[in-house]
Amino acid sequence: ISFDGSDDRVGIFRPGGYQFSDQFTIELWIKPNTYQDYEGAISFGDVGGSDPSIGIAYFATGWRFYLKTTDSIPDWPTMIAASAPSAQWTHLACTYDGSKKKLYRNGVLMEEQNMTGNIEWDVTDLYIGFFYSNSPNRYFDGNIDEIRVWDIVRTGAQIKGNKSVTLQGNEA
């Protein structure tokens, strides 16, 4: 999917099946043209509503794994991050198991952080190419492909071994 960075996004409204409580994996391929703070690749949020629950968005020096739980308040400077060069495809994956969140780049664990609590679902809309914030830079500029949302925690080996495999639709 190609995004122009100014007003494009894909919205899946109220996808109730994607509301996990304390474990998940999200994977996607990104090819950013440019990036600015709060530019989003994917997020669960609400335009004009409260803060997102989950997301991958750019801030400062990398793509941050944003997660809001009942026990935590997101803090941009301390979020785990991974870099992704412009004009090049990069696979990003984030996992949360109820006690730790992890961020992978091209199948390699880049950073992990202790975190507890159930995911705080204020809203349930899924956005691709967008991250809800007060910043005008919330739209993704580039391409996004192969988005995978799992209600389980995929291991590093599963992420690395399957990031380039076409799914059949019967995976668990």
Side-chain angles (χ1 to χ4, degrees):
I1 305 170
S2 180
F3 299 93
D4 66 9
S6 63
D7 60 0
D8 295 342
R9 67 176 174 226
V10 174
I12 302 171
F13 304 103
R14 310 293 186 237
Y18 293 106
Q19 277 193 327
F20 355 89
S21 61
D22 64 354
Q23 63 177 6
F24 67 89
T25 301
I26 296 175
E27 301 178 61
L28 69 162
W29 286 90
I30 65 170
K31 184 181 179 184
N33 294 326
T34 62
Y35 32 82
Q36 301 177 52
D37 284 355
Y38 309 110
E39 183 176 318
I42 191 168
S43 64
F44 285 86
D46 183 22
V47 176
S50 58
D51 292 335
S53 301
I54 302 169
I56 296 177
Y58 187 85
F59 181 78
T61 59
W63 293 92
R64 307 285 170 142
F65 176 12
Y66 182 101
L67 178 61
K68 185 167 72 169
T69 70
T70 53
D71 295 343
S72 69
I73 298 171
D75 178 42
W76 285 99
T78 63
M79 286 180 205
I80 59 177
S83 63
S86 61
Q88 181 177 323
W89 284 106
T90 303
H91 182 265
L92 295 177
C94 56
T95 67
Y96 178 64
D97 66 3
S99 64
K100 190 170 290 213
K101 66 179 188 174
K102 298 179 181 183
L103 183 61
Y104 297 82
R105 181 183 66 211
N106 295 326
V108 177
L109 178 64
M110 300 308 298
E111 202 169 348
E112 61 186 326
Q113 186 175 59
N114 291 330
M115 177 176 269
T116 59
N118 287 330
I119 298 160
E120 199 169 293
W121 291 104
D122 295 332
V123 292
T124 57
D125 296 340
L126 168 60
Y127 289 101
I128 302 164
F130 177 81
F131 184 85
Y132 179 74
S133 74
N134 292 326
S135 169
N137 305 328
R138 55 191 173 189
Y139 294 94
F140 188 82
D141 179 22
N143 296 287
I144 299 175
D145 200 10
E146 293 289 327
I147 300 145
R148 302 172 181 191
V149 179
W150 306 86
D151 63 356
I152 59 169
V153 177
R154 308 264 297 163
T155 66
Q158 289 172 318
I159 291 169
K160 186 173 189 170
N162 292 290
K163 66 184 176 64
S164 298
V165 173
T166 301
L167 298 181
Q168 301 302 310
N170 60 355
E171 292 80 10

